[in-house]
Amino acid sequence: MLTQLAWKNIWRNKKRSLVIILAIMLGLWGGLFSGAIMMGMAESMVDSAIDRYLGHVEIHSKKFKDDVQITNYIKDVKAVENAINAQDSIAGYSKRTILEGMAASAASSFGVKIVGIDRVAEKSVSRLYQKIVDGDYFDTQKRNQVIIGKKLADRLNLKLRSKIILTFQDVHGEIIYLACRITGIFKTESSVFDETNVFLRQVDLMRSLHQTETLIHEIAIRVKSAKYVPVVEQNLASALPGLAVETWEKMAPELAFVSSSMEAFTYLFVAIILFALLFGITNNMLMSVVERIRELGILTAVGMKKSRVFFMILLETIFLSMTGGILGMTVGGFFIGFFNSAGIDLSAFATGLESFGSASMLYPFLPASMYIGLTIMILFAANIAALLPAWKATHLTPAEAIRTY
Amino acid sequence: MALIELKDISKTYNTTAVPVNALKDINITFEKQEFTAIVGPSGSGKTTMLNILGGLDKPTNGTVIIDNNDITKMKPGNLVDFRLNKIGFVFQAYNLIPVLTALENVEFIMLLQKVSKKERREQAENLLQDVGLGDRMDNRPSQLSGGQQQRVAVARALASKPAFVLADEPTANLDSKSAESLLDMMEEMNKKHNMTFIFSTHDARVIKRARRVVTLEDGMVKEDKINK
């Protein structure tokens, strides 16, 4: 009955209770939706980085990690392939040749990473082929084709079928100049990636290097589901102790940080909102207690213990806060769910978002665990908000409360 | 052995610049089954005496013995329990919980006593029948007249099966018909349940119906007489 009484008590002044419930609802809705957008952005940054190039797991020679030199290639590629093929959860892998070099046009030059790939294998790891905005993805067998990013093309004043000169060192340290024809221009979510990466077919690169054996510097792996990443990494690391086996989180720690910190930021954001709301809830409950001083005095007079009075005020505060909280989470969840499927088109801010590596179409989301975390936070805030009113209610002298009010 | 014994009770309020002596050396006893009115002009100390009798206020000096317990020496927590189990209260302004029905208001006291749900429902229904509100059990206080609310308050006071009931000017807010009816009912309870009623009043009708009348003046017992 105490629970029932507490619930009825919050509806004594409907208007006042509804105002605070509405404030909590709007505050939470805003906080959750902003958090979901931030998390959607972080997710977009991570997903697009994995899809664009990274893959889930990468293998390099340990020396290559410290010094990106042509000579620091993986010596026993066959052993690596055997180890990869022994895993069940691999969706695909791509062996890449990585060279540091320069890309030059008649107008300008720029430092780039030259990536030699096998067209078919690369398609099983990265989704670069979906980002071609002009030309194709090595669809013909012509020699010395190159695919470059839109940003680099603009920077070097190049177009499709323009000639571009790539300069890099061979295994002996000799400078190689390779004239290529641009057959494809890609545009990804990251303008930095588009500006600093060029892709060639591995055969063309090896021919220019006068190599009979293909030099592999990097093996990128895509697994069937992100949940297998730690297992695959662990298995490959133990099977290939002489090589550096790393997940995308280790290769791109800034992305991993963004991904993990967004959840923390959302909690922080909601905590700040709840902290502000806390004063409103306290004020509301204080008014409710002051209005009922005589009644509370009588309840104490007829034998209601202070602990029960305290508990009743606490329950009232929790009911008030949780009603607003549940409404806020429901409305927030509905909005997040809707925009998660419909997406939010932020193409007006595309340039800014691309510099962060985020897509301009955002799909906000909030993990289910956050709703549980938020419920606990609201309960905690309600307990804090109840302290002052409950203290006031339990420090009444019955005779004085009845006489004075 | 008296049910209630006040020994050398005095009460001084120091809340104003000049201390107010509300009660001065009161010595009085109340027996079981009494139907007693405490009367006197405003400021004579009626409410103070009732508060001290009910353990709502502590005397400056003296002791209050109720059912062989010295309540002036009780710790606050024990005193709340004592009030819950030994004393029934009826207030001038009824003071029912507005969001609860008549039945729930009566049940509430028994809830505090941790009486089982079935038992307290049964008891509350019987009490409301006794006070003539069998058909008003599901009404909230705002849906009842003043007289009916005061009847619910009496039923609530009796619900805890107290040793006695203290009523502070119970008829003050009632019209004469309701007041008479309430007094009839209280008298009936006094006889039917052997319940002790002590009430402060200004009301001549109440004074006439009381079997014992204690008159206070300037914080002292001026007269203590049995009504014939």
Side-chain angles (χ1 to χ4, degrees), chain B residues 182-201:
Chain B
L182 182 80
L183 285 166
D184 288 343
M185 186 270 287
M186 284 166 72
E187 236 175 352
E188 194 190 326
M189 293 291 146
N190 171 251
K191 284 171 187 161
K192 185 176 171 183
H193 298 287
N194 297 324
M195 183 54 63
T196 310
F197 279 89
I198 300 169
F199 35 85
S200 68
T201 188

mmCIF file with all atom_site columns, all heavy atoms in Angstrom, chain B residues 182-201:
data_model
loop_
_atom_site.group_PDB
_atom_site.id
_atom_site.type_symbol
_atom_site.label_atom_id
_atom_site.label_alt_id
_atom_site.label_comp_id
_atom_site.label_asym_id
_atom_site.label_entity_id
_atom_site.label_seq_id
_atom_site.pdbx_PDB_ins_code
_atom_site.Cartn_x
_atom_site.Cartn_y
_atom_site.Cartn_z
_atom_site.occupancy
_atom_site.B_iso_or_equiv
_atom_site.pdbx_formal_charge
_atom_site.auth_seq_id
_atom_site.auth_comp_id
_atom_site.auth_asym_id
_atom_site.auth_atom_id
_atom_site.pdbx_PDB_model_num
ATOM 1   N N   . LEU B 1 182 ? -21.936 12.157 15.435 1.00 0.00 ? 182 LEU B N   1
ATOM 2   C CA  . LEU B 1 182 ? -20.577 11.677 15.742 1.00 0.00 ? 182 LEU B CA  1
ATOM 3   C C   . LEU B 1 182 ? -20.456 11.294 17.205 1.00 0.00 ? 182 LEU B C   1
ATOM 4   O O   . LEU B 1 182 ? -19.883 10.249 17.545 1.00 0.00 ? 182 LEU B O   1
ATOM 5   C CB  . LEU B 1 182 ? -19.544 12.760 15.390 1.00 0.00 ? 182 LEU B CB  1
ATOM 6   C CG  . LEU B 1 182 ? -18.100 12.359 15.631 1.00 0.00 ? 182 LEU B CG  1
ATOM 7   C CD1 . LEU B 1 182 ? -17.590 11.479 14.487 1.00 0.00 ? 182 LEU B CD1 1
ATOM 8   C CD2 . LEU B 1 182 ? -17.195 13.575 15.783 1.00 0.00 ? 182 LEU B CD2 1
ATOM 9   N N   . LEU B 1 183 ? -21.068 12.144 18.063 1.00 0.00 ? 183 LEU B N   1
ATOM 10  C CA  . LEU B 1 183 ? -21.010 11.860 19.504 1.00 0.00 ? 183 LEU B CA  1
ATOM 11  C C   . LEU B 1 183 ? -21.757 10.574 19.849 1.00 0.00 ? 183 LEU B C   1
ATOM 12  O O   . LEU B 1 183 ? -21.283 9.778  20.668 1.00 0.00 ? 183 LEU B O   1
ATOM 13  C CB  . LEU B 1 183 ? -21.587 13.039 20.294 1.00 0.00 ? 183 LEU B CB  1
ATOM 14  C CG  . LEU B 1 183 ? -20.660 14.252 20.372 1.00 0.00 ? 183 LEU B CG  1
ATOM 15  C CD1 . LEU B 1 183 ? -21.413 15.472 20.870 1.00 0.00 ? 183 LEU B CD1 1
ATOM 16  C CD2 . LEU B 1 183 ? -19.463 13.968 21.278 1.00 0.00 ? 183 LEU B CD2 1
ATOM 17  N N   . ASP B 1 184 ? -22.889 10.362 19.178 1.00 0.00 ? 184 ASP B N   1
ATOM 18  C CA  . ASP B 1 184 ? -23.630 9.111  19.377 1.00 0.00 ? 184 ASP B CA  1
ATOM 19  C C   . ASP B 1 184 ? -22.738 7.932  19.056 1.00 0.00 ? 184 ASP B C   1
ATOM 20  O O   . ASP B 1 184 ? -22.673 6.949  19.798 1.00 0.00 ? 184 ASP B O   1
ATOM 21  C CB  . ASP B 1 184 ? -24.869 9.061  18.448 1.00 0.00 ? 184 ASP B CB  1
ATOM 22  C CG  . ASP B 1 184 ? -25.951 10.019 18.900 1.00 0.00 ? 184 ASP B CG  1
ATOM 23  O OD1 . ASP B 1 184 ? -25.876 10.460 20.068 1.00 0.00 ? 184 ASP B OD1 1
ATOM 24  O OD2 . ASP B 1 184 ? -26.850 10.338 18.076 1.00 0.00 ? 184 ASP B OD2 1
ATOM 25  N N   . MET B 1 185 ? -22.087 8.065  17.916 1.00 0.00 ? 185 MET B N   1
ATOM 26  C CA  . MET B 1 185 ? -21.241 6.977  17.447 1.00 0.00 ? 185 MET B CA  1
ATOM 27  C C   . MET B 1 185 ? -20.066 6.736  18.405 1.00 0.00 ? 185 MET B C   1
ATOM 28  O O   . MET B 1 185 ? -19.748 5.588  18.751 1.00 0.00 ? 185 MET B O   1
ATOM 29  C CB  . MET B 1 185 ? -20.735 7.325  16.034 1.00 0.00 ? 185 MET B CB  1
ATOM 30  C CG  . MET B 1 185 ? -19.957 6.250  15.337 1.00 0.00 ? 185 MET B CG  1
ATOM 31  S SD  . MET B 1 185 ? -18.231 6.399  15.697 1.00 0.00 ? 185 MET B SD  1
ATOM 32  C CE  . MET B 1 185 ? -17.818 7.823  14.737 1.00 0.00 ? 185 MET B CE  1
ATOM 33  N N   . MET B 1 186 ? -19.436 7.840  18.871 1.00 0.00 ? 186 MET B N   1
ATOM 34  C CA  . MET B 1 186 ? -18.301 7.700  19.792 1.00 0.00 ? 186 MET B CA  1
ATOM 35  C C   . MET B 1 186 ? -18.752 7.075  21.119 1.00 0.00 ? 186 MET B C   1
ATOM 36  O O   . MET B 1 186 ? -18.058 6.235  21.688 1.00 0.00 ? 186 MET B O   1
ATOM 37  C CB  . MET B 1 186 ? -17.632 9.068  20.034 1.00 0.00 ? 186 MET B CB  1
ATOM 38  C CG  . MET B 1 186 ? -16.767 9.495  18.854 1.00 0.00 ? 186 MET B CG  1
ATOM 39  S SD  . MET B 1 186 ? -16.275 11.224 18.888 1.00 0.00 ? 186 MET B SD  1
ATOM 40  C CE  . MET B 1 186 ? -15.095 11.251 20.172 1.00 0.00 ? 186 MET B CE  1
ATOM 41  N N   . GLU B 1 187 ? -19.922 7.481  21.550 1.00 0.00 ? 187 GLU B N   1
ATOM 42  C CA  . GLU B 1 187 ? -20.467 6.918  22.793 1.00 0.00 ? 187 GLU B CA  1
ATOM 43  C C   . GLU B 1 187 ? -20.717 5.426  22.638 1.00 0.00 ? 187 GLU B C   1
ATOM 44  O O   . GLU B 1 187 ? -20.415 4.622  23.523 1.00 0.00 ? 187 GLU B O   1
ATOM 45  C CB  . GLU B 1 187 ? -21.775 7.642  23.143 1.00 0.00 ? 187 GLU B CB  1
ATOM 46  C CG  . GLU B 1 187 ? -21.729 8.244  24.510 1.00 0.00 ? 187 GLU B CG  1
ATOM 47  C CD  . GLU B 1 187 ? -22.978 9.063  24.821 1.00 0.00 ? 187 GLU B CD  1
ATOM 48  O OE1 . GLU B 1 187 ? -23.817 9.294  23.929 1.00 0.00 ? 187 GLU B OE1 1
ATOM 49  O OE2 . GLU B 1 187 ? -23.092 9.472  25.982 1.00 0.00 ? 187 GLU B OE2 1
ATOM 50  N N   . GLU B 1 188 ? -21.227 5.067  21.447 1.00 0.00 ? 188 GLU B N   1
ATOM 51  C CA  . GLU B 1 188 ? -21.511 3.664  21.167 1.00 0.00 ? 188 GLU B CA  1
ATOM 52  C C   . GLU B 1 188 ? -20.213 2.846  21.166 1.00 0.00 ? 188 GLU B C   1
ATOM 53  O O   . GLU B 1 188 ? -20.153 1.746  21.717 1.00 0.00 ? 188 GLU B O   1
ATOM 54  C CB  . GLU B 1 188 ? -22.216 3.565  19.814 1.00 0.00 ? 188 GLU B CB  1
ATOM 55  C CG  . GLU B 1 188 ? -22.861 2.212  19.584 1.00 0.00 ? 188 GLU B CG  1
ATOM 56  C CD  . GLU B 1 188 ? -23.325 2.072  18.144 1.00 0.00 ? 188 GLU B CD  1
ATOM 57  O OE1 . GLU B 1 188 ? -23.745 3.082  17.539 1.00 0.00 ? 188 GLU B OE1 1
ATOM 58  O OE2 . GLU B 1 188 ? -23.231 0.939  17.628 1.00 0.00 ? 188 GLU B OE2 1
ATOM 59  N N   . MET B 1 189 ? -19.187 3.426  20.560 1.00 0.00 ? 189 MET B N   1
ATOM 60  C CA  . MET B 1 189 ? -17.874 2.756  20.511 1.00 0.00 ? 189 MET B CA  1
ATOM 61  C C   . MET B 1 189 ? -17.312 2.596  21.925 1.00 0.00 ? 189 MET B C   1
ATOM 62  O O   . MET B 1 189 ? -16.677 1.593  22.248 1.00 0.00 ? 189 MET B O   1
ATOM 63  C CB  . MET B 1 189 ? -16.873 3.567  19.676 1.00 0.00 ? 189 MET B CB  1
ATOM 64  C CG  . MET B 1 189 ? -17.192 3.632  18.218 1.00 0.00 ? 189 MET B CG  1
ATOM 65  S SD  . MET B 1 189 ? -16.979 2.031  17.464 1.00 0.00 ? 189 MET B SD  1
ATOM 66  C CE  . MET B 1 189 ? -18.250 2.079  16.250 1.00 0.00 ? 189 MET B CE  1
ATOM 67  N N   . ASN B 1 190 ? -17.542 3.652  22.719 1.00 0.00 ? 190 ASN B N   1
ATOM 68  C CA  . ASN B 1 190 ? -17.077 3.651  24.099 1.00 0.00 ? 190 ASN B CA  1
ATOM 69  C C   . ASN B 1 190 ? -17.714 2.489  24.867 1.00 0.00 ? 190 ASN B C   1
ATOM 70  O O   . ASN B 1 190 ? -17.044 1.774  25.618 1.00 0.00 ? 190 ASN B O   1
ATOM 71  C CB  . ASN B 1 190 ? -17.428 5.003  24.738 1.00 0.00 ? 190 ASN B CB  1
ATOM 72  C CG  . ASN B 1 190 ? -17.183 5.046  26.234 1.00 0.00 ? 190 ASN B CG  1
ATOM 73  O OD1 . ASN B 1 190 ? -18.125 5.078  27.021 1.00 0.00 ? 190 ASN B OD1 1
ATOM 74  N ND2 . ASN B 1 190 ? -15.918 5.046  26.622 1.00 0.00 ? 190 ASN B ND2 1
ATOM 75  N N   . LYS B 1 191 ? -18.995 2.277  24.568 1.00 0.00 ? 191 LYS B N   1
ATOM 76  C CA  . LYS B 1 191 ? -19.705 1.207  25.278 1.00 0.00 ? 191 LYS B CA  1
ATOM 77  C C   . LYS B 1 191 ? -19.431 -0.151 24.634 1.00 0.00 ? 191 LYS B C   1
ATOM 78  O O   . LYS B 1 191 ? -19.120 -1.122 25.324 1.00 0.00 ? 191 LYS B O   1
ATOM 79  C CB  . LYS B 1 191 ? -21.206 1.503  25.285 1.00 0.00 ? 191 LYS B CB  1
ATOM 80  C CG  . LYS B 1 191 ? -21.545 2.595  26.296 1.00 0.00 ? 191 LYS B CG  1
ATOM 81  C CD  . LYS B 1 191 ? -22.964 3.066  26.169 1.00 0.00 ? 191 LYS B CD  1
ATOM 82  C CE  . LYS B 1 191 ? -23.170 4.265  27.095 1.00 0.00 ? 191 LYS B CE  1
ATOM 83  N NZ  . LYS B 1 191 ? -24.345 5.040  26.713 1.00 0.00 ? 191 LYS B NZ  1
ATOM 84  N N   . LYS B 1 192 ? -19.527 -0.191 23.303 1.00 0.00 ? 192 LYS B N   1
ATOM 85  C CA  . LYS B 1 192 ? -19.404 -1.467 22.569 1.00 0.00 ? 192 LYS B CA  1
ATOM 86  C C   . LYS B 1 192 ? -17.980 -2.040 22.676 1.00 0.00 ? 192 LYS B C   1
ATOM 87  O O   . LYS B 1 192 ? -17.800 -3.229 22.910 1.00 0.00 ? 192 LYS B O   1
ATOM 88  C CB  . LYS B 1 192 ? -19.776 -1.236 21.102 1.00 0.00 ? 192 LYS B CB  1
ATOM 89  C CG  . LYS B 1 192 ? -19.809 -2.500 20.263 1.00 0.00 ? 192 LYS B CG  1
ATOM 90  C CD  . LYS B 1 192 ? -20.279 -2.173 18.848 1.00 0.00 ? 192 LYS B CD  1
ATOM 91  C CE  . LYS B 1 192 ? -20.119 -3.371 17.940 1.00 0.00 ? 192 LYS B CE  1
ATOM 92  N NZ  . LYS B 1 192 ? -20.494 -3.062 16.571 1.00 0.00 ? 192 LYS B NZ  1
ATOM 93  N N   . HIS B 1 193 ? -16.988 -1.184 22.488 1.00 0.00 ? 193 HIS B N   1
ATOM 94  C CA  . HIS B 1 193 ? -15.593 -1.662 22.490 1.00 0.00 ? 193 HIS B CA  1
ATOM 95  C C   . HIS B 1 193 ? -14.861 -1.342 23.800 1.00 0.00 ? 193 HIS B C   1
ATOM 96  O O   . HIS B 1 193 ? -13.646 -1.531 23.870 1.00 0.00 ? 193 HIS B O   1
ATOM 97  C CB  . HIS B 1 193 ? -14.807 -1.039 21.315 1.00 0.00 ? 193 HIS B CB  1
ATOM 98  C CG  . HIS B 1 193 ? -15.338 -1.407 19.979 1.00 0.00 ? 193 HIS B CG  1
ATOM 99  N ND1 . HIS B 1 193 ? -15.191 -2.657 19.433 1.00 0.00 ? 193 HIS B ND1 1
ATOM 100 C CD2 . HIS B 1 193 ? -16.042 -0.702 19.061 1.00 0.00 ? 193 HIS B CD2 1
ATOM 101 C CE1 . HIS B 1 193 ? -15.760 -2.703 18.235 1.00 0.00 ? 193 HIS B CE1 1
ATOM 102 N NE2 . HIS B 1 193 ? -16.281 -1.516 17.991 1.00 0.00 ? 193 HIS B NE2 1
ATOM 103 N N   . ASN B 1 194 ? -15.596 -0.831 24.801 1.00 0.00 ? 194 ASN B N   1
ATOM 104 C CA  . ASN B 1 194 ? -14.978 -0.407 26.069 1.00 0.00 ? 194 ASN B CA  1
ATOM 105 C C   . ASN B 1 194 ? -13.807 0.548  25.843 1.00 0.00 ? 194 ASN B C   1
ATOM 106 O O   . ASN B 1 194 ? -12.781 0.480  26.519 1.00 0.00 ? 194 ASN B O   1
ATOM 107 C CB  . ASN B 1 194 ? -14.483 -1.612 26.885 1.00 0.00 ? 194 ASN B CB  1
ATOM 108 C CG  . ASN B 1 194 ? -15.620 -2.500 27.284 1.00 0.00 ? 194 ASN B CG  1
ATOM 109 O OD1 . ASN B 1 194 ? -16.723 -2.007 27.572 1.00 0.00 ? 194 ASN B OD1 1
ATOM 110 N ND2 . ASN B 1 194 ? -15.382 -3.801 27.304 1.00 0.00 ? 194 ASN B ND2 1
ATOM 111 N N   . MET B 1 195 ? -13.985 1.389  24.843 1.00 0.00 ? 195 MET B N   1
ATOM 112 C CA  . MET B 1 195 ? -12.878 2.258  24.446 1.00 0.00 ? 195 MET B CA  1
ATOM 113 C C   . MET B 1 195 ? -12.875 3.553  25.257 1.00 0.00 ? 195 MET B C   1
ATOM 114 O O   . MET B 1 195 ? -13.929 4.169  25.470 1.00 0.00 ? 195 MET B O   1
ATOM 115 C CB  . MET B 1 195 ? -13.019 2.591  22.947 1.00 0.00 ? 195 MET B CB  1
ATOM 116 C CG  . MET B 1 195 ? -11.908 3.427  22.372 1.00 0.00 ? 195 MET B CG  1
ATOM 117 S SD  . MET B 1 195 ? -10.275 2.730  22.651 1.00 0.00 ? 195 MET B SD  1
ATOM 118 C CE  . MET B 1 195 ? -10.396 1.206  21.754 1.00 0.00 ? 195 MET B CE  1
ATOM 119 N N   . THR B 1 196 ? -11.704 3.955  25.707 1.00 0.00 ? 196 THR B N   1
ATOM 120 C CA  . THR B 1 196 ? -11.546 5.204  26.463 1.00 0.00 ? 196 THR B CA  1
ATOM 121 C C   . THR B 1 196 ? -11.435 6.368  25.475 1.00 0.00 ? 196 THR B C   1
ATOM 122 O O   . THR B 1 196 ? -10.634 6.297  24.536 1.00 0.00 ? 196 THR B O   1
ATOM 123 C CB  . THR B 1 196 ? -10.264 5.133  27.317 1.00 0.00 ? 196 THR B CB  1
ATOM 124 O OG1 . THR B 1 196 ? -10.285 3.910  28.036 1.00 0.00 ? 196 THR B OG1 1
ATOM 125 C CG2 . THR B 1 196 ? -10.134 6.321  28.243 1.00 0.00 ? 196 THR B CG2 1
ATOM 126 N N   . PHE B 1 197 ? -12.253 7.393  25.655 1.00 0.00 ? 197 PHE B N   1
ATOM 127 C CA  . PHE B 1 197 ? -12.175 8.595  24.799 1.00 0.00 ? 197 PHE B CA  1
ATOM 128 C C   . PHE B 1 197 ? -11.821 9.807  25.664 1.00 0.00 ? 197 PHE B C   1
ATOM 129 O O   . PHE B 1 197 ? -12.451 10.039 26.690 1.00 0.00 ? 197 PHE B O   1
ATOM 130 C CB  . PHE B 1 197 ? -13.522 8.865  24.117 1.00 0.00 ? 197 PHE B CB  1
ATOM 131 C CG  . PHE B 1 197 ? -13.770 8.018  22.897 1.00 0.00 ? 197 PHE B CG  1
ATOM 132 C CD1 . PHE B 1 197 ? -14.369 6.778  23.007 1.00 0.00 ? 197 PHE B CD1 1
ATOM 133 C CD2 . PHE B 1 197 ? -13.404 8.481  21.635 1.00 0.00 ? 197 PHE B CD2 1
ATOM 134 C CE1 . PHE B 1 197 ? -14.605 5.998  21.888 1.00 0.00 ? 197 PHE B CE1 1
ATOM 135 C CE2 . PHE B 1 197 ? -13.630 7.704  20.509 1.00 0.00 ? 197 PHE B CE2 1
ATOM 136 C CZ  . PHE B 1 197 ? -14.235 6.459  20.632 1.00 0.00 ? 197 PHE B CZ  1
ATOM 137 N N   . ILE B 1 198 ? -10.801 10.515 25.254 1.00 0.00 ? 198 ILE B N   1
ATOM 138 C CA  . ILE B 1 198 ? -10.472 11.782 25.932 1.00 0.00 ? 198 ILE B CA  1
ATOM 139 C C   . ILE B 1 198 ? -10.454 12.839 24.841 1.00 0.00 ? 198 ILE B C   1
ATOM 140 O O   . ILE B 1 198 ? -9.708  12.695 23.862 1.00 0.00 ? 198 ILE B O   1
ATOM 141 C CB  . ILE B 1 198 ? -9.095  11.708 26.627 1.00 0.00 ? 198 ILE B CB  1
ATOM 142 C CG1 . ILE B 1 198 ? -9.097  10.586 27.674 1.00 0.00 ? 198 ILE B CG1 1
ATOM 143 C CG2 . ILE B 1 198 ? -8.726  13.056 27.261 1.00 0.00 ? 198 ILE B CG2 1
ATOM 144 C CD1 . ILE B 1 198 ? -7.721  10.247 28.228 1.00 0.00 ? 198 ILE B CD1 1
ATOM 145 N N   . PHE B 1 199 ? -11.303 13.861 24.976 1.00 0.00 ? 199 PHE B N   1
ATOM 146 C CA  . PHE B 1 199 ? -11.314 14.879 23.931 1.00 0.00 ? 199 PHE B CA  1
ATOM 147 C C   . PHE B 1 199 ? -11.295 16.283 24.504 1.00 0.00 ? 199 PHE B C   1
ATOM 148 O O   . PHE B 1 199 ? -11.862 16.539 25.545 1.00 0.00 ? 199 PHE B O   1
ATOM 149 C CB  . PHE B 1 199 ? -12.488 14.696 22.969 1.00 0.00 ? 199 PHE B CB  1
ATOM 150 C CG  . PHE B 1 199 ? -13.750 14.194 23.607 1.00 0.00 ? 199 PHE B CG  1
ATOM 151 C CD1 . PHE B 1 199 ? -14.645 15.073 24.200 1.00 0.00 ? 199 PHE B CD1 1
ATOM 152 C CD2 . PHE B 1 199 ? -14.033 12.842 23.613 1.00 0.00 ? 199 PHE B CD2 1
ATOM 153 C CE1 . PHE B 1 199 ? -15.808 14.616 24.778 1.00 0.00 ? 199 PHE B CE1 1
ATOM 154 C CE2 . PHE B 1 199 ? -15.200 12.378 24.209 1.00 0.00 ? 199 PHE B CE2 1
ATOM 155 C CZ  . PHE B 1 199 ? -16.087 13.253 24.792 1.00 0.00 ? 199 PHE B CZ  1
ATOM 156 N N   . SER B 1 200 ? -10.590 17.123 23.776 1.00 0.00 ? 200 SER B N   1
ATOM 157 C CA  . SER B 1 200 ? -10.620 18.543 24.162 1.00 0.00 ? 200 SER B CA  1
ATOM 158 C C   . SER B 1 200 ? -11.760 19.173 23.384 1.00 0.00 ? 200 SER B C   1
ATOM 159 O O   . SER B 1 200 ? -12.034 18.772 22.249 1.00 0.00 ? 200 SER B O   1
ATOM 160 C CB  . SER B 1 200 ? -9.295  19.211 23.783 1.00 0.00 ? 200 SER B CB  1
ATOM 161 O OG  . SER B 1 200 ? -9.165  19.284 22.394 1.00 0.00 ? 200 SER B OG  1
ATOM 162 N N   . THR B 1 201 ? -12.432 20.103 23.990 1.00 0.00 ? 201 THR B N   1
ATOM 163 C CA  . THR B 1 201 ? -13.561 20.734 23.277 1.00 0.00 ? 201 THR B CA  1
ATOM 164 C C   . THR B 1 201 ? -13.944 22.080 23.890 1.00 0.00 ? 201 THR B C   1
ATOM 165 O O   . THR B 1 201 ? -13.643 22.374 25.051 1.00 0.00 ? 201 THR B O   1
ATOM 166 C CB  . THR B 1 201 ? -14.772 19.783 23.263 1.00 0.00 ? 201 THR B CB  1
ATOM 167 O OG1 . THR B 1 201 ? -15.778 20.320 22.424 1.00 0.00 ? 201 THR B OG1 1
ATOM 168 C CG2 . THR B 1 201 ? -15.346 19.543 24.653 1.00 0.00 ? 201 THR B CG2 1
#
